[in-house]
Amino acid sequence: MTVRTSLGAVAALLATAILAAPVCADPVPAGPPALGAASSRSALVRTETRGAHWERLYVRSASMRRVIPVDVLRGAGPGPHPALYLLDGVDGSPTSDWLTKGHAAEFFADKPVDVVLTGDGVGSMYSDWEHYDRTLGLNRWETFLIDELPPIVESYLHTDGRRAVAGVSMGAQGAMMLAQRHPGFFRAVAGISGCYSTADNVGEAVTRITVASRGGNPENLWGPPNSPAWLAHDSFLGAATLRGTAIYLSAATGVPGLPDLEAIADAPNVLGALQQSGGGVALEAGALACTERFAERLAQLRIPATVEYEPTGTHAWQSFTDELPAAWNAIAKAFHGEASRIAVEAR
């Protein structure tokens, strides 16, 4: 289904949300924690079992000077398996919302892939920030996800060396940036309800909202929005480097569907759920505009991509979870070929 969205209307809607976002600190606040001898190198600190195929790893990041919780879901069947790095949205909880809200453990229980889910990435954009942030701390997520974590977790899981990255919302934008900025590192990339530009009005607005909504200062991310770093992280401008990478994109219109209405009706605080749903409408409309524009850019460059537009759905986990089977199909095809595709129920 093709849906056309007015970029101007979406930009105005998102700008209103920005004006209501928290006031941030000065661009260069107090510095990060000192680097001690114990955190001078990245390493696996300890592990714990959380389920039949679910383990929690605690990985020390030298670049971020702290220990990051990383959940892993071991693939079904004989290994070795490829690895899928599955990025969370803006909340970046210690345990990924993909596990607590997106039912990832159940979905991947019978899939031949090792899934890696990082925690504690709240409002980070999964990027290397230019400055330490008083609220969101020291963020060097690109360094962690490209240089530090893969050697540790892939050695621990004994993966086969193939990898993909996928995410939702902030994680979708982060996944695309990582794939675009590191050509060939990932065999496939999937973005669900994400925005893939940081330089146009909508992309800049979405990025600023993402950071400010969790109390961070967007200028601590890549400097002022007109700085070269904002351009350097724009996947629309850098899309040519994605050639040869399998790409999946999806977004909905923002129009509430039956699952959205049921979630509001079942909420303990219906009024609060209605207010939150209003934000979900705006954010999904923005994600749709971003996805359409990015898909058009890929088509102009003749870079193949699987793109799905849903007629209903807001920026909420009931919609995101519905998109996971189709996203996995695209990734599984890149890993294993057509024989690995699963049936996706018609919605």
Side-chain angles (χ1 to χ4, degrees):
M1 176 179 179
T2 300
V3 183
R4 295 293 173 188
T5 307
S6 167
L7 286 174
V10 172
L13 190 62
L14 295 176
T16 301
I18 286 177
L19 293 175
V23 177
C24 300
D26 293 335
V28 188
L35 181 63
S39 58
S40 61
R41 65 182 182 86
S42 300
L44 177 61
V45 176
R46 63 186 177 93
T47 68
E48 62 186 35
T49 300
R50 295 216 153 187
H53 301 282
W54 176 4
E55 297 173 67
R56 163 68 62 86
L57 312 185
Y58 294 90
V59 178
R60 184 173 59 240
S61 167
S63 66
M64 288 193 279
R65 307 182 189 182
R66 67 180 190 267
V67 173
I68 306 296
V70 179
D71 288 296
V72 295
L73 305 173
R74 289 188 178 270
H81 300 300
L84 169 61
Y85 292 80
L86 192 56
L87 304 184
D88 202 358
V90 66
D91 287 333
S93 304
T95 299
S96 171
D97 282 347
W98 274 116
L99 292 165
T100 60
K101 299 177 182 178
H103 309 294
E106 296 85 349
F107 177 79
F108 285 106
D110 61 349
K111 309 297 188 298
V113 63
D114 294 332
V115 185
V116 180
L117 307 102
T118 59
D120 278 351
V122 57
S124 67
M125 300 303 302
Y126 295 107
S127 183
D128 286 1
W129 286 41
E130 291 200 355
H131 302 294
Y132 177 82
D133 189 86
R134 193 184 306 276
T135 301
L136 299 182
L138 178 61
N139 287 293
R140 296 286 186 271
W141 282 94
E142 184 172 356
T143 295
F144 182 69
L145 289 165
I146 297 297
D147 298 327
E148 296 177 339
L149 180 61
I152 294 170
V153 72
E154 291 175 18
S155 175
Y156 180 80
L157 293 171
H158 303 291
T159 65
D160 65 10
R162 297 175 297 166
R163 43 179 102 78
V165 63
V168 62
S169 189
M170 180 187 81
Q173 186 168 354
M176 199 63 64
M177 282 193 294
L178 292 172
Q180 175 259 314
R181 287 168 58 82
H182 300 274
F185 191 78
F186 299 103
R187 186 164 294 200
V189 58
I192 298 172
S193 297
C195 201
Y196 309 103
S197 175
T198 56
D200 67 24
N201 289 339
V202 174
E204 178 193 322
V206 170
T207 303
R208 290 173 58 199
I209 288 172
T210 300
V211 174
S213 70
R214 296 306 181 269
N217 186 336
E219 293 198 9
N220 286 331
L221 174 59
W222 303 313
N226 60 352
S227 69
W230 283 73
L231 296 175
H233 289 83
D234 190 306
S235 295
F236 178 93
L237 296 177
T241 64
L242 289 166
R243 193 177 306 278
T245 303
I247 302 168
Y248 173 87
L249 301 169
S250 70
T253 59
V255 176
L258 180 58
D260 302 290
L261 298 175
E262 289 176 338
I264 293 171
D266 293 338
N269 180 351
V270 174
L271 178 58
L274 278 169
Q275 293 171 336
Q276 185 175 8
S277 178
V281 169
L283 289 173
E284 194 63 21
L288 176 62
C290 291
T291 300
E292 287 183 323
R293 185 167 181 266
F294 189 57
E296 289 174 357
R297 177 59 177 161
L298 293 173
Q300 290 171 356
L301 294 172
R302 298 187 179 181
I303 296 176
T306 301
V307 185
E308 301 283 348
Y309 298 122
E310 297 303 322
T312 61
T314 65
H315 207 73
W317 276 99
Q318 56 264 26
S319 297
F320 304 153
T321 304
D322 287 345
E323 289 304 308
L324 185 56
W328 166 244
N329 268 342
I331 294 168
K333 181 180 177 182
F335 281 153
H336 307 294
E338 287 287 349
S340 69
R341 289 180 59 84
I342 60 173
V344 180
E345 293 182 356
R347 288 181 289 277

